Amino acid sequence: MDEHEFYCLHSDLCKTLANEKRQMILGALRDGERSVSEIQAATGIPQATLSQHLAILRSRGVVRTRRAGNHVYYDIINPKIIQAFDLITEVMQETIELRRGTVEGIPGE
């Protein structure tokens, strides 16, 4: 794989994760496998919308499924996705704190 192809794949993964509903789904799956109905209850995402986003996550290799009877269970394939998600969250929190400090530190504001 050449460098260009690598960055294209990297970009595709970032685009996949750059959706608030898919981030909510990952949050619901962070502690392990859940059924579709459990994910729906945890996120409040309507069933049809949830199915679309789960299909995208599955096609991009982020989640996998396991069928048990009439139930389909999803889990995150690589736990490093959650580690990356948590690092981005930390960066965002630090950025917000920095902005607050900058705004609060301006005289006359």
Side-chain angles (χ1 to χ4, degrees), residues 9-10 12-18 22-23 25-27 29-30 57 60-64 75-89:
L9 291 172
H10 190 281
D12 286 344
L13 177 60
C14 289
K15 288 175 191 174
T16 299
L17 302 177
R22 292 193 283 270
Q23 290 175 12
I25 293 167
L26 292 177
L29 294 173
R30 77 179 299 122
L57 289 168
R60 301 283 164 65
V62 176
V63 299
R64 64 182 158 220
D75 72 335
I76 297 169
I77 291 175
N78 189 330
K80 289 181 182 176
I81 292 287
I82 293 300
Q83 292 173 332
F85 186 82
D86 290 346
L87 282 172
I88 292 168
T89 298

Side-chain angles (χ1 to χ4, degrees), residues 2-107:
D2 67 10
E3 189 174 331
H4 177 73
E5 187 178 358
F6 172 82
Y7 285 118
C8 285
L9 291 172
H10 190 281
S11 177
D12 286 344
L13 177 60
C14 289
K15 288 175 191 174
T16 299
L17 302 177
N19 177 282
E20 65 188 67
K21 290 189 180 11
R22 292 193 283 270
Q23 290 175 12
M24 292 169 66
I25 293 167
L26 292 177
L29 294 173
R30 77 179 299 122
D31 294 323
E33 182 182 77
R34 285 187 152 185
S35 69
V36 174
S37 59
E38 290 171 326
I39 298 168
Q40 199 279 323
T43 62
I45 299 170
Q47 181 73 36
T49 305
L50 179 61
S51 293
Q52 291 172 349
H53 286 288
L54 286 168
I56 291 167
L57 289 168
R58 186 175 178 199
S59 71
R60 301 283 164 65
V62 176
V63 299
R64 64 182 158 220
T65 60
R66 178 181 67 84
R67 187 172 293 276
N70 292 332
H71 299 283
V72 177
Y73 293 88
Y74 283 83
D75 72 335
I76 297 169
I77 291 175
N78 189 330
K80 289 181 182 176
I81 292 287
I82 293 300
Q83 292 173 332
F85 186 82
D86 290 346
L87 282 172
I88 292 168
T89 298
E90 287 178 29
V91 169
M92 287 176 47
Q93 289 170 338
E94 291 170 4
T95 301
I96 290 168
E97 289 173 15
L98 183 63
R99 287 182 182 164
R100 283 185 184 147
T102 303
V103 171
E104 291 172 6
I106 297 173

